Amino acid sequence: MELIVIARPTLFKEECHFVNQLFEAGLQVFHLRKENADEAGYRKIVEGILPEYHPRIALHHFHTLANDYNINRIHHTESFRKSITPNTQPQEHIWSTSIHQLSDIDCIRPYHYSFYGPVFNSLSKPGYMGVIPAGFHLNKPNSKTKLIALGGIGLNQIHQVKEMNFDGVALLGSIWNDTSKALTNFKKAQQHCLAYHQAL
């Protein structure tokens, strides 16, 4: 099961230090999403992350920065995806997007993976409620696009996501709500995902 970490929505002190720690501990993909940051803010974060980890960063905004920092992961928000012509993505990049309804799964075939959720009640956005019904099991026989569960996933929910048949989990609040425990919680989540691989 894949494990992705999404950036905390707001800038905070020593953010790059924490992100570098996560990469050093084995984080494979970090989604850089700062809804209120400008291009200079994005650039500052990328430059604070060690260059060897730049290929593991996925940019949500200011995609042209990829050309300057050896970044080959690009994320299209749902609204942006709907505004462009499908199948226009250059093959050298790894593309991701988001959906909030499973009926949209046929619209994301050109993408390598997509976030889907919120699965549970959000840990980082109060009032952002989960949409997954009890007993849910994901069935996507005709799609090669991986679906990554997002929303309200704490360490104790990872096993539930596995049972739902998702290809991976994306964590935000469970990592960043208490930055002093970010590395510890990431390692615990990593072990949960690794245990799933070993059980297969």
Side-chain angles (χ1 to χ4, degrees):
M1 172 168 279
E2 296 189 24
L3 174 59
I4 293 173
V5 171
I6 299 177
R8 185 170 165 178
T10 56
L11 299 169
F12 66 97
K13 188 177 181 181
E14 295 187 336
E15 179 170 10
C16 295
H17 168 71
F18 286 111
V19 174
N20 282 321
Q21 281 189 324
L22 297 183
F23 277 130
E24 185 178 1
L27 176 63
Q28 294 302 304
V29 183
F30 173 69
H31 273 249
L32 179 52
R33 182 183 69 184
K34 299 286 184 181
E35 296 176 357
N36 297 316
D38 57 13
E39 183 173 342
Y42 263 64
R43 190 178 292 274
K44 184 176 181 180
I45 294 173
V46 173
E47 291 181 350
I49 296 172
L50 295 174
E52 57 262 40
Y53 299 135
H54 287 177
R56 303 188 202 175
I57 298 172
L59 290 173
H60 278 236
H61 306 97
F62 309 109
H63 296 154
T64 55
L65 292 178
N67 300 323
D68 298 333
Y69 297 103
N70 192 30
I71 294 173
N72 65 354
R73 293 177 174 270
I74 302 294
H75 183 87
H76 287 167
T77 63
E78 188 170 36
S79 59
F80 182 82
R81 185 190 76 244
K82 291 180 178 179
S83 71
I84 63 173
T85 303
N87 300 312
T88 58
Q89 294 92 324
Q91 294 300 311
E92 64 268 20
H93 291 312
I94 297 172
W95 298 92
S96 59
T97 188
S98 300
I99 60 173
H100 294 87
Q101 297 179 355
L102 286 177
S103 58
D104 289 337
I105 197 166
D106 288 336
C107 302
I108 59 172
R109 292 181 184 275
Y111 291 86
H112 294 87
Y113 62 94
S114 174
F115 296 129
Y116 174 68
V119 176
F120 305 112
N121 296 345
S122 177
L123 299 175
S124 59
K125 297 180 180 179
Y128 200 52
M129 309 302 289
V131 298
I132 300 294
F136 174 81
H137 184 80
L138 180 64
N139 183 23
K140 52 182 190 67
N142 299 318
S143 176
K144 294 182 179 180
T145 304
K146 294 181 179 180
L147 284 187
I148 308 298
L150 170 67
I153 302 171
L155 301 181
N156 294 328
Q157 280 76 45
I158 292 178
H159 72 282
Q160 292 178 251
V161 175
K162 298 173 188 175
E163 296 298 322
M164 292 177 185
N165 198 37
F166 282 96
D167 298 297
V169 294
L171 304 182
L172 196 165
S174 57
I175 300 296
W176 301 120
N177 282 356
D178 184 350
T179 54
S180 68
K181 296 180 180 178
L183 182 59
T184 299
N185 286 344
F186 169 75
K187 288 182 176 179
K188 289 179 179 179
Q190 192 178 45
Q191 287 300 313
H192 284 301
C193 293
L194 181 61
Y196 178 71
H197 280 300
Q198 292 174 339
L200 293 178

